[in-house]
Structures are given as C-alpha cells and as structure tokens.
Amino acid sequence: MEFLIPLINKLQEVCTTVGTDLIQLPQIVVVGSQSSGKSSVLESLVGQSFLPRGTGIVTRCPIVLQLIHVSKEGSDYKSEEEGMGDYDEWARFLHTNTVFTDFNKVQEEIQAYTNKIAGSNKGVSSDALYLKVYSQKVVNLTLVDLPGLTKVPIGDQPEDIETQVYDLVMSYISNPNSIILAISSANTDIATSEALKLAREVDPDGNRTLAVITKLDLMDTGTDAMDVLCGRVIPVKLGIIGVVNRSQQDIVNNKKFKEVLKDEALFLQRKYPTLASQNGTPHLSKTLNRLLLHHIRKCLPDLKKRFQSLLNSLGEDIVDKKQTLLQIITKFSSAYCSAIDGTGKNIETSELFGGARISYIFHETFGKTLDCINALSGLTQFDILTAIRNSSGPRPAIFVPEIAFELLVQRQIRKLEEPSLRCVELVHEELQRIVQHCGTEIQTDMMRFPVLHDKIKDVITALLRKRLPPTNEMVENMIAIELAYINTRHPDFHPQAVAAATFANSDEGTIPKRSNLTKRHTDSFAPSETTGNIIINGVDVPKEPLKGQIYDVSSISQSSGSWFSKILPSGIGPATNGSRTTAQTVPTSSNPSPVSGSPQRTPTSATSHERQLFDKEKNDCDMIECLIKSYFGILRKQIQDAVPKIIMYSLVNHMKNSLQSELVTHLCKAEQIDLLLAESEHVAARRREASEGLQALERVIHMIEEMREATYFGTGTKFKL
C-alpha cells in the first residue's frame, strides 16, 4: 500500500500541468493560527529545518510538501536524480530542476519564490509552491502548509489580510478528499481554536479532521492537557495527538532533530505515561500515513472517473487525420441541426437558443412588430382627400375613385417590408450564433483545433452570406406581388368592403328599388320651359350657379322618400336655419388669381389649410380609411404567416440540408488537413500527462483488487482492502 502515496504525488504533478481545479486529490491540509507551531510540526516530520521563520506571517503561499521515503539503497529514486548516490536526503522544487542537498538553500529558495509570487509586503498568494523531500527518515506523506490565520494586519499588509487568508484556507479544506490537520497550542484554550472552528464548518461530522496539540511543555505549572488529549473537552473523531516542539533556544543552538525526538519521548513518559505511546511526532507521522493511505484508497474510484473525464475533454491521439476530420464535421453538423430542431442532449436553461430563439423571433419579435404598425400611420384625412381629388382628374367624383384606394393602400403595404427584412436579419444572426453553442463535445474539439474552428466559422458565414440575398429577394418579391394587384374580391375583404360602403351611405334609409328610382326621377327632374334651368321638386335651379352663390336645397330634399336625398351628402339637406349644417366656405388663396390669368395650384396640405371637411368629403375619407384598414389587416396576417415560411425554406432548412456537404467540400482537402488538425504543444502535453495518470490509477486499482490483505508498516497489523 505504500506505493499509493507516491502515486498521488505523481498525480499531483499531472494536475499541476492540466489544471488543479479539475481534479481534487487526497492530501493533508495543515491549518492553524500564527505561532501555533505549524512549521515546527512539519519540520519535525521531515527531520530538517527548511521552512522560513520570523515574526508575523511567514508562510504566505500554500506549500505542497511531498515526503518520499527512500531505502538505504534508494535505487528507485536515486536513479532519477543524477548524482544522488552519495546523499541520504535531498529536495527538489517543481518550478526548478535544481536538486538541493543543503536545506538552508531550500529555505532561501522558498523565501525567494514567495517574494516573487506574493510580493514583499507580507501579502499572501494562492499560487502553490511544490517541494519534494526524499529521505530515509520520513514516511510517505503529502501535506499542504497554509498561511497562519490572522486577525489584525501589521506593517504594510493589506487591510483585508484576514479575509484573504480565510478564503485561501477554505479553498483547500473544502476539498472533500482532503484530511484537515488542525494545529492548536496547548498553552491556549482549545475552545478558542480557530483551526477547529474552520474544520467544523466544512467537516461537521469530523470524518476527516485530526487535531494536533503543540507546545505541551509550555503549559503553566500544575496544569496538563490530559482532558484535551483524551477528547473530553472537544471530541475529534480521528483523534487528538500531542507533540513537543523545538524551543527557540533549540533552533538557535541548531539542536539535532534526533535529540529533539528523544527529549519529546522522555517528556511524554514523565508527564503523560499512560498516553505516551499515542502521542509524539513518530506516532503523528504513522497516523498521518495510515489515514492518508485509507483516504486515497477510498478516493481512487472517483479519481479514475475524474481523470477519464479530463482525458475525454482533451481528446484522443489522432491516428487517421482524414477520418478524424470527417468525424468532427459529422458531429458538428449533427449538433448544429440538433440545436435548430431542439433535440440536443444539453438543453440551455439560461437563455433561448437555436430553434427556440428563431421561433421567438417569428412569433414574438416579428409578430408584435407587425401588430404595432397602424394601418393609417402617416395618413391624414387631407392626404386621403387629396388622393381622391388627384385620382378624379378634372371631373368631380360622384363616387369614390377606386384608384385612390389602391394608391393609398399600396403606400401602407410598403411599410410591412422593412420589419420583414429585419426578421430575416435576426434569424441570420442566430444561425451564426449557434456555432458557439453546439454542445460540450463539439466545443472540446473546437478548442483542441483552433484552426479548424476558424475554418468552420468561415464556411458557415460564407454559406449564410450566400443564402441571405435570395431570402431577402423572396421577401421583397412577396411584398411586390401584393403591391402589383390589389384584390378587392378577396374572400375576407369583400364583406368588410360592403360594410364600409354601407357605412359611408346616409343613414336615412336603405337604397330604394330601381323601379321607384325611375319613377321618382321622372317626377322630380324636369327642364324649365321658360328659363332653361332644371326644375327639381318645383325649385328652379340654374345649370351653372353664379360665382359665390350658395343655394338652399332644403326644398329639394324635403321629402324623406326623395331619391336625390339619398345621393346628396348628408350635410347638404334640410337645415333649421336655412343654411348648411356643417360645410363652411372653402378657404381660398389670399391672392386669388384673376380669371384671365393662368390658374394657380391650390394647396391641399393639412398644414397649409386647416378647415372642416364637408360631410361628403368626410364620408369619402371614412370609407377609404375603412377599406385600407380592412385590406391592410388581411395582408398583415398573410405576411406574418408567409415571411417565417420563406425564411425556413430559403435559409434555415437550406442550412440544415447543405451544411455537411459544404463543410466536406471546403475542408476535406489533402493539402490542408494537417493545418486544420494542428494542435498546440501545451494541449498535447496535457493529454499525455492525463493519460499517464489514468493508466497509473487503473494499475493501482487493479493491484488493490487482487490484494486481499496487506501488512501495514511492518508491525504485523493487517487490514482488509
């Protein structure tokens, strides 16, 4: 089982290469307040003084310490380090290839690297320093020394130094695969231990927390830590181990660790004879080794899954480049079409995407835009009246000219063209955006082959750009077709047109039958034998009215059954005071042209002449407005239905049907396959490291499955695997 810890150390290096956030490895995390004795405990485990010392915060970045036990021969590890045959212990940093045999140099390198990544202002950094120590005096362990917990910034430390250290510690102890080594000093109340408090936050059951009580020899005279070590004050599931640290005088005198361990054993035998075998640095080392081995064994299946997932994300080695390229193109085309159809494996929950967004554009964005267009926007009654007059030419119109309605409704129909083309543009943009969200598997390939990704985007952009003009042309042609022929016999338009025409008629009665019209026409109209004028219902009306003269036609249309009353505007009829009820004198130019002069154009804009319309004019305008609203509403529905169909036919479905063939045509060329499938050395190195880690894990799991029993640490104690 001792091979498990070196394996984890190897995986630690792999994770440093591929990204430590992806895989959480089993490790022992050392947590404690400043001056609680963390550094002394670690140095006692190593048997060398190599950690920086001083006042205030000394450890300012995570130090990943990998202890590797070597035999007296040390053939396995000495062969890896050239020139190590004459040394029993040495150290090596991951950031440098230099091998250190003088541990004072190790201390200097730690200080130099810390200042490099964390600065010289006593700040902290989350970047880890990796240190391997090979020795005959250590057991296989992996520990992480973290900055000591602090409360008040000193010197030029940042004001939020407490928060920085807290966040850094929590990021390590929150790892469910870590064992928390909570350090507290014996000369303080354990109930105030910050390390145990943080451990309980992330490990409330205590399944991965081991407490260490330091400075047992510095307790006040007459007191002891018996209750604390027995767990009667604060129980800790994995146990509480007491140790004796080197004093400052021992450090100054450079006292050997062998003598320090001997003095520690004598103190425990004298002060705690019943607990001596369960405390001390050697017992702590063995306990940590045992806990880490069991913890690693428990975490191996999950580690294998994580490494397999990591390897899958990095992709497999390329054997046949052409086949690999075809597979990527096929997967991309399938993922692209699935995104449009909504049949993809990964469903977005944060925003609309693909086909769902296209549907939203059709029915929400485009549909509501058309609904917001007023059928009469930009038209005033004077505009309509001007159109009626212009379409009548020199002849006064008895009925509303149909050409006026056609001209005006064509003008309004053109307003539907711009939102229709904008709808095409929005769908075009969404089809381009789908490339960035085609699924995790495709995104992995795209990240692995950036040149291929760029080429695929270029092909899709070119294909969409090629299909955009025909789609716009079809939409424009549809609008042009509607403008080419105004179908007043449209099944939905005819009933409304009849209703509009009926509304425009006078509300005095229905139109009389033809026989009655003939009779009344004969009775009511007769030429005057004396004046040559027209006699209408006994009134002598001149054929041409004198200039400025207004006739009272009340006597003409007194009879409610008169046919003429049915064709006259409702305002020209009986009045109570013998004058017009609504119509006023039509305003004329302030300088009228003389009769003999050339006629001047009378402006009809509503801005230049504000006047009330005659009732007949108003009725004509109302009828035109009603017809425009009716016909515009019909076409709006048709266009709202037809534009999405055009876009789906000419743009979306064409993309789905021709995407794969276009990609194969443009990308599967022998001269550019090597360029398209080129990947960076960094990605290739990450894949090799992950593959080696996965293979090592598989070998270990296979070996564990074959082993039924293992002897631990040469003591004869056996445990089931």
Side-chain angles (χ1 to χ4, degrees):
M1 289 293 290
E2 287 296 323
F3 57 84
L4 288 179
I5 295 178
L7 168 67
I8 294 300
N9 293 339
K10 177 63 178 176
L11 296 180
Q12 198 113 40
E13 297 181 9
V14 173
C15 291
T16 304
T17 305
V18 301
T20 55
D21 294 336
L22 298 176
I23 297 177
Q24 296 174 321
L25 294 174
Q27 56 192 2
I28 299 173
V29 180
V30 184
V31 183
S33 301
Q34 287 186 16
S35 303
S36 62
K38 293 190 295 83
S39 298
S40 296
V41 171
L42 292 176
E43 289 181 342
S44 297
L45 293 174
V46 175
Q48 289 286 350
S49 180
F50 64 97
L51 293 175
R53 290 184 174 272
T55 59
I57 185 170
V58 178
T59 303
R60 297 189 290 122
C61 69
I63 299 178
V64 180
L65 181 61
Q66 299 175 353
L67 305 183
I68 301 174
H69 176 77
V70 295
S71 61
K72 291 183 179 181
E73 294 78 12
S75 57
D76 294 339
Y77 295 102
K78 290 181 179 180
S79 60
E80 297 178 5
E81 312 292 345
E82 186 177 354
M84 291 297 101
D86 299 332
Y87 296 95
D88 293 331
E89 52 188 0
W90 64 93
R92 183 171 63 86
F93 291 93
L94 189 61
H95 65 272
T96 177
N97 292 326
T98 305
V99 177
F100 296 85
T101 57
D102 184 356
F103 280 84
N104 292 325
K105 297 292 184 181
V106 173
Q107 186 180 69
E108 295 175 1
E109 179 64 24
I110 292 176
Q111 290 176 334
Y113 189 80
T114 300
N115 291 333
K116 177 182 177 181
I117 63 176
S120 57
N121 65 339
K122 295 295 183 179
V124 297
S125 172
S126 59
D127 295 335
L129 182 152
Y130 290 85
L131 173 62
K132 283 185 176 184
V133 176
Y134 300 85
S135 175
Q136 300 176 13
K137 298 178 292 185
V138 301
V139 296
N140 292 326
L141 283 177
T142 301
L143 305 104
V144 181
D145 185 21
L146 296 176
L149 299 170
T150 184
K151 292 293 184 182
V152 181
I154 59 175
D156 56 351
Q157 285 183 338
E159 292 295 328
D160 62 340
I161 186 66
E162 179 185 1
T163 303
Q164 291 185 26
V165 174
Y166 175 83
D167 294 340
L168 179 59
V169 171
M170 292 298 290
S171 67
Y172 275 85
I173 65 177
S174 298
N175 174 10
N177 293 334
S178 65
I179 296 175
I180 304 171
L181 189 64
I183 308 292
S184 301
S185 58
N187 55 358
T188 60
D189 191 352
I190 192 174
T192 63
S193 172
E194 287 289 332
L196 288 176
K197 177 187 174 184
L198 294 182
R200 282 193 172 184
E201 290 182 11
V202 298
D203 182 32
D205 297 330
N207 294 326
R208 52 188 184 91
T209 301
L210 175 68
V212 175
I213 306 300
T214 62
K215 305 179 182 180
L216 289 176
D217 57 333
L218 299 182
M219 296 186 68
D220 294 337
T221 305
T223 62
D224 59 32
M226 183 67 71
D227 291 340
V228 174
L229 295 176
C230 292
R232 289 193 286 265
V233 178
I234 296 179
V236 179
K237 186 175 292 187
L238 295 184
I240 301 176
I241 299 176
V243 297
V244 177
N245 301 102
R246 287 193 304 167
S247 64
Q248 186 62 35
Q249 189 62 41
D250 293 338
I251 296 174
V252 173
N253 296 336
N254 197 19
K255 189 175 182 179
K256 299 297 183 181
F257 277 91
K258 185 176 181 180
E259 298 178 4
V260 171
L261 295 178
K262 183 178 180 180
D263 292 342
E264 179 189 48
L266 292 175
F267 174 82
L268 291 174
Q269 286 290 346
R270 183 180 69 253
K271 190 71 174 178
Y272 306 96
T274 59
L275 301 177
S277 61
Q278 301 174 15
N279 292 275
T281 301
H283 179 72
L284 174 62
S285 177
K286 295 176 182 180
T287 302
L288 291 175
N289 179 269
R290 174 175 54 84
L291 291 176
L292 186 58
L293 285 174
H294 281 276
H295 201 62
I296 291 173
R297 186 191 61 162
K298 184 175 66 175
C299 297
L300 282 180
D302 182 63
L303 287 178
K304 180 181 177 182
K305 292 180 181 178
R306 291 178 178 270
F307 266 93
Q308 185 65 57
S309 176
L310 174 61
L311 189 59
N312 292 338
S313 67
L314 295 175
E316 300 178 354
D317 290 332
I318 301 175
V319 179
D320 188 342
K321 291 188 175 182
K322 187 173 183 180
Q323 182 180 359
T324 302
L325 180 59
L326 288 174
Q327 289 176 350
I328 294 176
I329 291 176
T330 302
K331 287 193 296 184
F332 179 84
S333 302
S334 177
Y336 192 92
C337 296
S338 297
I340 295 176
D341 296 333
T343 57
K345 296 180 181 179
N346 299 319
I347 303 298
E348 290 282 346
T349 58
S350 58
E351 62 176 347
L352 292 179
F353 161 71
R357 185 162 184 83
I358 293 175
S359 176
Y360 181 87
I361 293 171
F362 286 159
H363 304 295
E364 297 293 332
T365 305
F366 177 60
K368 289 184 178 180
T369 301
L370 292 189
D371 292 338
C372 291
I373 298 177
N374 189 352
L376 300 176
S377 62
L379 279 181
T380 64
Q381 286 192 328
F382 281 95
D383 294 335
I384 297 174
L385 182 60
T386 302
I388 293 174
R389 290 179 175 179
N390 287 336
S391 61
S392 301
R395 296 172 299 280
I398 298 178
F399 302 103
V400 177
E402 187 175 346
I403 188 64
F405 161 70
E406 292 186 0
L407 292 175
L408 292 172
V409 79
Q410 287 174 345
R411 171 179 168 180
Q412 300 306 104
I413 291 172
R414 288 190 178 91
K415 295 181 180 180
L416 300 175
E417 183 175 2
E418 182 179 353
S420 300
L421 295 176
R422 177 58 180 163
C423 180
V424 177
E425 183 180 350
L426 291 175
V427 175
H428 172 267
E429 293 175 357
E430 179 60 24
L431 291 175
Q432 282 187 317
R433 197 172 72 96
I434 293 177
V435 180
Q436 306 296 333
H437 304 81
C438 279
T440 306
E441 184 178 0
I442 300 302
Q443 291 303 312
T444 301
D445 291 332
M446 296 300 100
M447 294 175 60
R448 182 182 178 186
F449 307 111
V451 178
L452 177 60
H453 186 203
D454 294 338
K455 288 293 184 181
I456 288 177
K457 288 197 297 185
D458 292 342
V459 172
I460 291 179
T461 301
L463 182 58
L464 287 172
R465 191 184 298 117
K466 178 182 177 182
R467 294 305 307 168
L468 188 59
T471 307
N472 285 334
E473 185 178 359
M474 291 184 70
V475 173
E476 292 170 351
N477 289 340
M478 181 192 66
I479 301 295
I481 289 171
E482 297 295 344
L483 293 173
Y485 180 67
I486 306 301
N487 184 17
T488 56
R489 293 289 185 179
H490 192 283
D492 295 331
F493 176 71
H494 183 67
Q496 298 172 350
V498 172
T502 304
F503 169 78
N505 285 331
S506 173
D507 57 357
E508 296 179 9
T510 58
I511 299 177
K513 294 182 180 179
R514 181 176 181 85
S515 59
N516 294 332
L517 287 175
T518 305
K519 182 176 182 298
R520 289 173 183 173
H521 174 74
T522 304
D523 295 340
S524 302
F525 289 81
S528 174
E529 297 179 357
T530 58
T531 63
N533 296 332
I534 299 176
I535 304 299
I536 303 178
N537 286 345
V539 179
D540 191 359
V541 181
K543 292 181 179 179
E544 296 182 1
L546 298 177
K547 182 178 181 181
Q549 183 177 357
I550 300 177
Y551 294 99
D552 184 4
V553 296
S554 60
S555 59
I556 300 177
S557 57
Q558 283 179 349
S559 175
S560 61
S562 172
W563 171 83
F564 193 72
S565 66
K566 297 293 187 285
I567 64 173
L568 286 177
S570 60
I572 303 180
T576 57
N577 56 1
S579 62
R580 288 185 174 182
T581 59
T582 303
Q584 304 295 329
T585 304
V586 178
T588 59
S589 175
S590 59
N591 297 318
S593 60
V595 176
S596 59
S598 59
Q600 295 185 358
R601 181 179 180 182
T602 303
T604 58
S605 173
T607 57
S608 61
H609 295 281
E610 297 292 342
R611 69 171 178 83
Q612 291 183 340
L613 298 178
F614 291 113
D615 282 356
K616 181 180 185 306
E617 295 172 339
K618 188 175 184 306
N619 289 343
D620 291 346
C621 292
D622 289 344
M623 183 172 66
I624 290 291
E625 288 179 356
C626 184
L627 294 173
I628 291 175
K629 287 180 181 179
S630 174
Y631 198 83
F632 185 86
I634 294 171
L635 289 192
R636 176 162 50 193
K637 291 181 180 179
Q638 292 181 187
I639 291 174
Q640 190 171 348
D641 177 67
V643 169
K645 294 179 179 179
I646 291 175
I647 296 174
M648 289 299 298
Y649 166 75
S650 181
L651 191 61
V652 178
N653 290 344
H654 191 277
M655 280 293 299
K656 292 170 55 180
N657 297 332
S658 60
L659 176 60
Q660 184 169 355
S661 60
E662 288 287 331
L663 291 175
V664 171
T665 302
H666 289 85
L667 300 181
C668 290
K669 298 179 180 179
E671 63 273 11
Q672 63 178 7
I673 290 181
D674 293 337
L675 177 63
L676 293 177
L677 296 182
E679 58 179 349
S680 64
E681 285 295 327
H682 175 66
V683 175
R686 290 176 62 187
R687 188 188 313 103
R688 286 194 298 270
E689 295 286 349
S691 178
E692 292 175 2
L694 180 60
Q695 292 174 6
L697 278 173
E698 290 176 344
R699 288 196 302 268
V700 169
I701 293 175
H702 181 69
M703 292 171 64
I704 291 177
E705 290 174 351
E706 291 181 349
M707 296 170 60
R708 295 190 176 183
E709 293 182 346
T711 302
Y712 168 68
F713 213 72
T715 62
T717 303
K718 296 184 179 181
F719 57 92
K720 293 289 183 181
L721 292 176

PDB file of all heavy atoms in Angstrom, residues 45-63:
ATOM      1  N   LEU A  45       8.356  16.360  11.234  1.00  0.00           N
ATOM      2  CA  LEU A  45       8.007  15.230  10.376  1.00  0.00           C
ATOM      3  C   LEU A  45       9.094  14.968   9.337  1.00  0.00           C
ATOM      4  O   LEU A  45       9.379  13.814   8.989  1.00  0.00           O
ATOM      5  CB  LEU A  45       6.665  15.488   9.681  1.00  0.00           C
ATOM      6  CG  LEU A  45       5.425  15.530  10.578  1.00  0.00           C
ATOM      7  CD1 LEU A  45       4.196  15.940   9.765  1.00  0.00           C
ATOM      8  CD2 LEU A  45       5.188  14.170  11.229  1.00  0.00           C
ATOM      9  N   VAL A  46       9.733  16.058   8.847  1.00  0.00           N
ATOM     10  CA  VAL A  46      10.776  15.919   7.824  1.00  0.00           C
ATOM     11  C   VAL A  46      12.116  15.595   8.475  1.00  0.00           C
ATOM     12  O   VAL A  46      12.943  14.859   7.912  1.00  0.00           O
ATOM     13  CB  VAL A  46      10.865  17.207   6.972  1.00  0.00           C
ATOM     14  CG1 VAL A  46      12.017  17.125   5.984  1.00  0.00           C
ATOM     15  CG2 VAL A  46       9.557  17.446   6.241  1.00  0.00           C
ATOM     16  N   GLY A  47      12.347  16.162   9.647  1.00  0.00           N
ATOM     17  CA  GLY A  47      13.645  15.968  10.303  1.00  0.00           C
ATOM     18  C   GLY A  47      14.674  16.963   9.846  1.00  0.00           C
ATOM     19  O   GLY A  47      15.881  16.744  10.043  1.00  0.00           O
ATOM     20  N   GLN A  48      14.227  18.054   9.244  1.00  0.00           N
ATOM     21  CA  GLN A  48      15.138  19.093   8.776  1.00  0.00           C
ATOM     22  C   GLN A  48      14.485  20.451   9.005  1.00  0.00           C
ATOM     23  O   GLN A  48      13.263  20.596   8.978  1.00  0.00           O
ATOM     24  CB  GLN A  48      15.450  18.921   7.279  1.00  0.00           C
ATOM     25  CG  GLN A  48      16.319  17.743   6.936  1.00  0.00           C
ATOM     26  CD  GLN A  48      17.768  17.964   7.326  1.00  0.00           C
ATOM     27  OE1 GLN A  48      18.180  19.068   7.691  1.00  0.00           O
ATOM     28  NE2 GLN A  48      18.564  16.890   7.269  1.00  0.00           N
ATOM     29  N   SER A  49      15.329  21.456   9.229  1.00  0.00           N
ATOM     30  CA  SER A  49      14.848  22.828   9.374  1.00  0.00           C
ATOM     31  C   SER A  49      14.950  23.500   8.010  1.00  0.00           C
ATOM     32  O   SER A  49      16.054  23.824   7.554  1.00  0.00           O
ATOM     33  CB  SER A  49      15.689  23.582  10.417  1.00  0.00           C
ATOM     34  OG  SER A  49      15.218  24.910  10.542  1.00  0.00           O
ATOM     35  N   PHE A  50      13.828  23.685   7.354  1.00  0.00           N
ATOM     36  CA  PHE A  50      13.851  24.210   5.981  1.00  0.00           C
ATOM     37  C   PHE A  50      12.785  25.278   5.727  1.00  0.00           C
ATOM     38  O   PHE A  50      12.790  25.910   4.664  1.00  0.00           O
ATOM     39  CB  PHE A  50      13.650  23.069   4.976  1.00  0.00           C
ATOM     40  CG  PHE A  50      12.304  22.409   5.077  1.00  0.00           C
ATOM     41  CD1 PHE A  50      11.267  22.788   4.226  1.00  0.00           C
ATOM     42  CD2 PHE A  50      12.055  21.421   6.014  1.00  0.00           C
ATOM     43  CE1 PHE A  50      10.027  22.181   4.311  1.00  0.00           C
ATOM     44  CE2 PHE A  50      10.822  20.809   6.105  1.00  0.00           C
ATOM     45  CZ  PHE A  50       9.802  21.182   5.252  1.00  0.00           C
ATOM     46  N   LEU A  51      11.856  25.491   6.669  1.00  0.00           N
ATOM     47  CA  LEU A  51      10.789  26.466   6.458  1.00  0.00           C
ATOM     48  C   LEU A  51      11.200  27.835   6.982  1.00  0.00           C
ATOM     49  O   LEU A  51      11.912  27.940   7.996  1.00  0.00           O
ATOM     50  CB  LEU A  51       9.504  26.007   7.160  1.00  0.00           C
ATOM     51  CG  LEU A  51       8.848  24.751   6.579  1.00  0.00           C
ATOM     52  CD1 LEU A  51       7.670  24.319   7.431  1.00  0.00           C
ATOM     53  CD2 LEU A  51       8.390  24.991   5.135  1.00  0.00           C
ATOM     54  N   PRO A  52      10.758  28.900   6.306  1.00  0.00           N
ATOM     55  CA  PRO A  52      11.102  30.260   6.765  1.00  0.00           C
ATOM     56  C   PRO A  52      10.542  30.509   8.160  1.00  0.00           C
ATOM     57  O   PRO A  52       9.462  30.041   8.525  1.00  0.00           O
ATOM     58  CB  PRO A  52      10.432  31.162   5.724  1.00  0.00           C
ATOM     59  CG  PRO A  52      10.227  30.298   4.527  1.00  0.00           C
ATOM     60  CD  PRO A  52       9.985  28.916   5.058  1.00  0.00           C
ATOM     61  N   ARG A  53      11.276  31.282   8.949  1.00  0.00           N
ATOM     62  CA  ARG A  53      10.853  31.626  10.297  1.00  0.00           C
ATOM     63  C   ARG A  53      10.949  33.132  10.485  1.00  0.00           C
ATOM     64  O   ARG A  53      11.665  33.831   9.764  1.00  0.00           O
ATOM     65  CB  ARG A  53      11.710  30.907  11.345  1.00  0.00           C
ATOM     66  CG  ARG A  53      11.464  29.405  11.398  1.00  0.00           C
ATOM     67  CD  ARG A  53      12.270  28.755  12.506  1.00  0.00           C
ATOM     68  NE  ARG A  53      11.922  27.350  12.641  1.00  0.00           N
ATOM     69  CZ  ARG A  53      10.933  26.906  13.404  1.00  0.00           C
ATOM     70  NH1 ARG A  53      10.194  27.762  14.096  1.00  0.00           N
ATOM     71  NH2 ARG A  53      10.676  25.612  13.484  1.00  0.00           N
ATOM     72  N   GLY A  54      10.218  33.619  11.464  1.00  0.00           N
ATOM     73  CA  GLY A  54      10.243  35.041  11.755  1.00  0.00           C
ATOM     74  C   GLY A  54       8.982  35.447  12.479  1.00  0.00           C
ATOM     75  O   GLY A  54       8.152  34.614  12.864  1.00  0.00           O
ATOM     76  N   THR A  55       8.807  36.758  12.662  1.00  0.00           N
ATOM     77  CA  THR A  55       7.624  37.288  13.329  1.00  0.00           C
ATOM     78  C   THR A  55       6.535  37.569  12.305  1.00  0.00           C
ATOM     79  O   THR A  55       6.812  37.816  11.126  1.00  0.00           O
ATOM     80  CB  THR A  55       7.968  38.581  14.082  1.00  0.00           C
ATOM     81  OG1 THR A  55       8.473  39.542  13.146  1.00  0.00           O
ATOM     82  CG2 THR A  55       9.005  38.317  15.168  1.00  0.00           C
ATOM     83  N   GLY A  56       5.292  37.559  12.778  1.00  0.00           N
ATOM     84  CA  GLY A  56       4.166  37.815  11.890  1.00  0.00           C
ATOM     85  C   GLY A  56       3.925  36.640  10.965  1.00  0.00           C
ATOM     86  O   GLY A  56       4.273  35.492  11.243  1.00  0.00           O
ATOM     87  N   ILE A  57       3.335  36.928   9.790  1.00  0.00           N
ATOM     88  CA  ILE A  57       3.012  35.900   8.828  1.00  0.00           C
ATOM     89  C   ILE A  57       4.266  35.557   8.022  1.00  0.00           C
ATOM     90  O   ILE A  57       4.893  36.428   7.420  1.00  0.00           O
ATOM     91  CB  ILE A  57       1.848  36.350   7.906  1.00  0.00           C
ATOM     92  CG1 ILE A  57       1.429  35.213   6.989  1.00  0.00           C
ATOM     93  CG2 ILE A  57       2.201  37.606   7.137  1.00  0.00           C
ATOM     94  CD1 ILE A  57       0.140  35.505   6.225  1.00  0.00           C
ATOM     95  N   VAL A  58       4.677  34.307   8.072  1.00  0.00           N
ATOM     96  CA  VAL A  58       5.894  33.862   7.390  1.00  0.00           C
ATOM     97  C   VAL A  58       5.541  33.026   6.163  1.00  0.00           C
ATOM     98  O   VAL A  58       6.045  33.258   5.063  1.00  0.00           O
ATOM     99  CB  VAL A  58       6.790  33.065   8.356  1.00  0.00           C
ATOM    100  CG1 VAL A  58       8.036  32.578   7.616  1.00  0.00           C
ATOM    101  CG2 VAL A  58       7.192  33.918   9.546  1.00  0.00           C
ATOM    102  N   THR A  59       4.647  32.047   6.348  1.00  0.00           N
ATOM    103  CA  THR A  59       4.166  31.256   5.207  1.00  0.00           C
ATOM    104  C   THR A  59       3.095  32.069   4.491  1.00  0.00           C
ATOM    105  O   THR A  59       2.002  32.279   5.006  1.00  0.00           O
ATOM    106  CB  THR A  59       3.583  29.919   5.686  1.00  0.00           C
ATOM    107  OG1 THR A  59       4.571  29.207   6.435  1.00  0.00           O
ATOM    108  CG2 THR A  59       3.142  29.079   4.511  1.00  0.00           C
ATOM    109  N   ARG A  60       3.408  32.541   3.294  1.00  0.00           N
ATOM    110  CA  ARG A  60       2.494  33.459   2.592  1.00  0.00           C
ATOM    111  C   ARG A  60       1.921  32.875   1.311  1.00  0.00           C
ATOM    112  O   ARG A  60       1.281  33.566   0.530  1.00  0.00           O
ATOM    113  CB  ARG A  60       3.218  34.780   2.291  1.00  0.00           C
ATOM    114  CG  ARG A  60       3.641  35.502   3.562  1.00  0.00           C
ATOM    115  CD  ARG A  60       4.161  36.893   3.310  1.00  0.00           C
ATOM    116  NE  ARG A  60       5.441  36.897   2.632  1.00  0.00           N
ATOM    117  CZ  ARG A  60       5.671  37.483   1.468  1.00  0.00           C
ATOM    118  NH1 ARG A  60       4.688  38.080   0.834  1.00  0.00           N
ATOM    119  NH2 ARG A  60       6.871  37.453   0.919  1.00  0.00           N
ATOM    120  N   CYS A  61       2.163  31.596   1.085  1.00  0.00           N
ATOM    121  CA  CYS A  61       1.550  30.895  -0.044  1.00  0.00           C
ATOM    122  C   CYS A  61       1.448  29.420   0.318  1.00  0.00           C
ATOM    123  O   CYS A  61       2.197  28.938   1.188  1.00  0.00           O
ATOM    124  CB  CYS A  61       2.361  31.088  -1.332  1.00  0.00           C
ATOM    125  SG  CYS A  61       3.954  30.250  -1.325  1.00  0.00           S
ATOM    126  N   PRO A  62       0.547  28.678  -0.289  1.00  0.00           N
ATOM    127  CA  PRO A  62       0.458  27.242   0.007  1.00  0.00           C
ATOM    128  C   PRO A  62       1.748  26.523  -0.403  1.00  0.00           C
ATOM    129  O   PRO A  62       2.261  26.718  -1.505  1.00  0.00           O
ATOM    130  CB  PRO A  62      -0.732  26.779  -0.841  1.00  0.00           C
ATOM    131  CG  PRO A  62      -1.510  28.022  -1.148  1.00  0.00           C
ATOM    132  CD  PRO A  62      -0.510  29.124  -1.228  1.00  0.00           C
ATOM    133  N   ILE A  63       2.278  25.731   0.512  1.00  0.00           N
ATOM    134  CA  ILE A  63       3.471  24.920   0.233  1.00  0.00           C
ATOM    135  C   ILE A  63       3.044  23.461   0.230  1.00  0.00           C
ATOM    136  O   ILE A  63       2.682  22.906   1.282  1.00  0.00           O
ATOM    137  CB  ILE A  63       4.573  25.160   1.280  1.00  0.00           C
ATOM    138  CG1 ILE A  63       5.003  26.624   1.277  1.00  0.00           C
ATOM    139  CG2 ILE A  63       5.775  24.255   0.992  1.00  0.00           C
ATOM    140  CD1 ILE A  63       6.064  26.953   2.328  1.00  0.00           C
TER     141      ILE A  63
END
